[in-house]
């Protein structure tokens, strides 16, 4: 008989300090994809779910894809949305021979502080003996429930994430090796009390690169099937938004634990290297101006304090205002999320000259009661905000910014959208008639995903911390559920 394999996706990185709502409609252009649509969304793409589908097809399995639900990072997932997504997966589980789940690992819902762990517990209750394989984002916040109820867990090894497919393929290979009696995957993990900064989790430099290199080396040891280093996502007020090491070994939990503990100790010894300390915003903008004097290419000003892919409101104007105050021109800024401004520009029409307030409209740690920034300019473009991502992240997928509008002022071209959106592709700007290469300065509400595409065409970049809802200063945030002591919030933390 053909194997019946359940494959699904539930992705959300929850910033519990973000005021951006996360209803069911946020999980796709108009909500999740279901059934055959979920299958088609990933067939031939480069996600972990795509790899699961390809692996199941090679096994000539019967494939069940109840849902594909993926939302940009934002605030807590609405209880109704979480319940609906979980129900789609759990209801489809009965009678399946195996399960492969493309999860993020850092979901917090209004009714669940451990979104993935609670889902896995429910799936395991339906399928007590079926193997469950999970692919996680590198920024997942691992919990004991996740370890207890999965047979295989493999995370990405790159940030920016360009190995989503590969991590899914790795997890699928181990799952089918178990089903065919070629391996007996067992999991162990370690979690030092270390809250990392996302800007210290880039895998091509520093301590994080050394950790990933060590993980790859450990995977070459006898009996080791997978080693994942997850720096976690610290902007979540949960018990332990901390770094984790997950090891999958072949039959020996003792071996898996030994490797996990060894890796965790190496990382703990370098804990200072996982801390990012921002320069004052004015200094960062000044550094950008200095770089511009030495190049004819755009200089990137990365506003990571209001970063879309960490749950930012994407409507703060601090970095833009500081650039204007310092006399910068030739600026392209965006996407700035402001549905109200988009509606007004649509009402005015292309070619109209308008004055309106933009940004600073969502109440958050970032806005601090600021009024919208008043700008005057000409409406240059109005579009549906859709484009196809050229890669290397989410290659081939259709992206949705909501309706988009461009207003050109004396010093800047400003891209305004109805939805928060990561500038991970030239299509963000080219779809609205802006050639980003023509900019003197590109102010991007991005931390890392923009880099594979925009850094090569730039004359340099500067990280700008606007002290928003995704800022790197943990003193901006009130943690009430966090287990203390934890580094770097506390001194003299032992591990």
């Amino acid at each position: 008989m053909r194997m019946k394999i359940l494959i699904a996706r539930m992705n959300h990185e929850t910033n519990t300090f973000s005021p951006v709502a996360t209803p069911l409609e946020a999980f796709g252009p108009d909500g999740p994809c279901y059934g055959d649509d979920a299958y088609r969304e990933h067939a031939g793409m480069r996600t972990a779910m795509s790899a699961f589908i390809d692996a199941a097809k090679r096994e000539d399995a019967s494939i069940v894809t109840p849902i594909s639900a993926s939302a940009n990072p934002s605030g807590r997932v609405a209880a109704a949305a979480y319940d609906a997504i979980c129900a789609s997966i759990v209801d489809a589980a009965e009678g399946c021979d195996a399960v492969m789940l493309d999860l993020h690992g850092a979901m917090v819902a209004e009714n669940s502080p451990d979104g993935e762990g609670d889902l896995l517990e429910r799936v395991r209750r339906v399928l007590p003996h079926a193997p469950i394989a999970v692919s996680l984002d590198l920024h997942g916040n691992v919990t004991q429930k996740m370890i207890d109820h999965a047979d295989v867990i493999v995370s990405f090894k790159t940030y920016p994430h360009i190995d989503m497919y590969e991590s899914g393929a790795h997890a699928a290979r181990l799952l089918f090796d178990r089903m065919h009696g070629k391996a007996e995957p067992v999991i162990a993990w370690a979690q030092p009390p270390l809250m990392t900064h996302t800007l210290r989790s880039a895998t091509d430099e520093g301590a994080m690169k050394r950790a990933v290199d060590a993980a790859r080396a450990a995977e070459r040891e006898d009996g080791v099937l997978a080693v994942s280093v997850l720096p976690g996502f610290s902007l979540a007020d949960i018990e332990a938004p901390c770094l984790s090491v997950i090891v999958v070994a072949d039959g020996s939990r003792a071996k898996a634990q030994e490797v996990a503990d060894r890796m965790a100790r190496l990382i703990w010894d370098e804990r200072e290297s996982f801390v990012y300390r921002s320069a004052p915003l004015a200094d960062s903008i000044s550094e950008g101006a200095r770089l511009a004097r030495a190049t004819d290419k755009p200089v990137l000003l990365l506003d990571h304090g209001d970063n879309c892919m960490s749950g930012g409101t994407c409507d703060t104007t601090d970095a833009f205002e500081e650039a204007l105050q310092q006399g910068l021109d030739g600026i392209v800024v965006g996407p700035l999320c402001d549905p109200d401004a988009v509606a007004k520009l649509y009402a005015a029409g292309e070619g109209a000259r308008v004055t309106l307030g933009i940004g600073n409209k969502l109440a958050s740690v970032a806005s601090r009661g600021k009024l919208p920034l008043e700008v005057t300019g000409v409406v240059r473009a109005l579009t549906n905000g859709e484009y196809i991502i050229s890669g290397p992240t989410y290659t081939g997928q259709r992206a949705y910014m909501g309706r988009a509008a461009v207003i050109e002022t004396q010093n800047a071209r400003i891209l305004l959208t109805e939805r928060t959106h990561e500038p991970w592709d030239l299509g963000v700007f080219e779809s609205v008639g802006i050639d980003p290469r023509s900019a003197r300065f590109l102010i991007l509400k991005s931390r890392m995903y923009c880099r594979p595409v925009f850094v090569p065409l730039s004359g340099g970049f500067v990280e700008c911390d606007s002290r928003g809802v995704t800022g790197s200063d943990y003193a901006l945030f009130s943690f009430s559920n966090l287990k203390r002591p934890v580094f770097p919030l506390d001194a003299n933390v032992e591990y």
Side-chain angles (χ1 to χ4, degrees), residues 180-231:
H180 296 314
K182 296 179 181 179
E184 184 186 347
V186 294
I187 299 178
W189 74 307
Q191 187 178 63
L194 170 59
M195 290 173 63
T196 73
H197 282 97
T198 306
L199 276 166
R200 288 291 178 258
S201 60
T203 53
D204 61 352
E205 62 183 8
M208 188 60 196
K209 181 180 187 302
R210 291 188 288 275
V212 171
D213 288 346
R216 295 187 188 279
E219 286 179 337
R220 294 192 289 270
E221 297 179 22
D222 289 342
V224 178
L225 302 177
V227 181
S228 300
V229 179
L230 300 93

Side-chain angles (χ1 to χ4, degrees), residues 262 419 465:
R262 184 203 327 153
R419 305 180 71 163
D465 192 346

Side-chain angles (χ1 to χ4, degrees), residues 41-279:
E41 182 180 58
H42 292 276
M45 297 301 173
R46 298 295 298 173
T47 63
M49 185 166 171
S50 305
F52 292 159
I53 290 171
D54 289 346
K57 287 169 63 177
R58 287 192 295 271
E59 295 285 337
D60 192 31
S62 173
I63 300 172
V64 180
T65 54
I67 193 168
S68 173
S70 183
N72 280 345
S74 49
R76 285 180 173 84
V77 176
Y82 178 70
D83 290 345
I85 295 168
C86 289
S88 293
I89 297 170
V90 175
D91 291 349
E94 189 167 352
C96 290
D97 298 293
V99 177
M100 292 189 283
L101 297 177
D102 179 346
L103 306 177
H104 183 282
M107 176 182 279
V108 180
E110 292 173 340
N111 55 341
S112 171
D114 182 6
E116 289 83 0
D118 287 343
L119 169 64
L120 288 167
E121 182 178 48
R122 291 177 60 185
V123 173
R124 177 59 72 201
R125 195 176 299 132
V126 176
L127 298 172
H129 306 297
I132 299 174
V134 175
S135 172
L136 291 181
D137 190 289
L138 174 147
H139 292 111
N141 289 327
V142 182
T143 67
Q144 189 62 51
K145 274 189 179 182
M146 295 162 66
I147 300 297
D148 289 344
H149 298 295
D151 298 282
V152 171
I153 299 178
V154 179
S155 81
F156 309 158
K157 283 186 170 67
T158 62
Y159 179 50
H161 309 315
I162 57 174
D163 66 334
M164 293 182 286
Y165 184 93
E166 287 75 12
S167 73
H170 191 167
R173 182 173 68 253
L174 298 186
L175 177 136
F176 286 119
D177 281 352
R178 170 182 160 157
M179 297 185 76
H180 296 314
K182 296 179 181 179
E184 184 186 347
V186 294
I187 299 178
W189 74 307
Q191 187 178 63
L194 170 59
M195 290 173 63
T196 73
H197 282 97
T198 306
L199 276 166
R200 288 291 178 258
S201 60
T203 53
D204 61 352
E205 62 183 8
M208 188 60 196
K209 181 180 187 302
R210 291 188 288 275
V212 171
D213 288 346
R216 295 187 188 279
E219 286 179 337
R220 294 192 289 270
E221 297 179 22
D222 289 342
V224 178
L225 302 177
V227 181
S228 300
V229 179
L230 300 93
F233 182 64
S234 59
L235 296 177
D237 187 17
I238 59 175
E239 183 175 310
C242 296
L243 182 144
S244 299
V245 179
I246 300 177
V247 178
V248 184
D250 189 1
S252 174
R253 201 171 305 277
K255 175 63 175 180
Q257 194 65 60
E258 183 272 322
V259 174
D261 290 342
R262 184 203 327 153
M263 289 284 302
R265 175 55 57 183
L266 288 171
I267 291 167
W268 179 251
D269 289 344
E270 284 205 83
R271 57 192 177 277
E272 286 283 355
S273 298
F274 286 91
V275 177
Y276 179 88
R277 294 180 172 86
S278 299

Side-chain angles (χ1 to χ4, degrees), residues 263-346:
M263 289 284 302
R265 175 55 57 183
L266 288 171
I267 291 167
W268 179 251
D269 289 344
E270 284 205 83
R271 57 192 177 277
E272 286 283 355
S273 298
F274 286 91
V275 177
Y276 179 88
R277 294 180 172 86
S278 299
L281 179 59
D283 292 354
S284 299
I285 300 298
S286 295
E287 172 64 12
R290 186 193 67 78
L291 288 175
R293 291 193 288 270
T295 181
D296 58 358
K297 296 181 178 180
V299 171
L300 308 183
L301 303 175
L302 305 184
D303 183 9
H304 65 89
D306 189 22
N307 165 234
C308 171
M309 294 306 286
S310 292
T313 60
C314 296
D315 81 333
T316 65
T317 59
D318 292 6
F320 183 34
E321 288 184 65
E322 182 63 35
L324 293 176
Q325 186 171 326
Q326 294 194 24
L328 277 54
D329 58 14
I331 300 169
V332 169
V333 58
L336 191 73
C337 181
D338 190 335
D340 175 67
V342 171
K344 290 177 179 176
L345 294 178
Y346 259 80

Side-chain angles (χ1 to χ4, degrees), residues 406-428:
V406 175
I407 180 171
E408 183 174 7
T409 69
Q410 181 178 352
N411 302 92
R413 286 169 287 172
I414 306 164
L415 169 58
L416 297 153
T417 59
E418 291 182 317
R419 305 180 71 163
T420 61
H421 192 79
E422 173 70 28
W424 46 33
D425 195 83
L426 295 179
V428 168

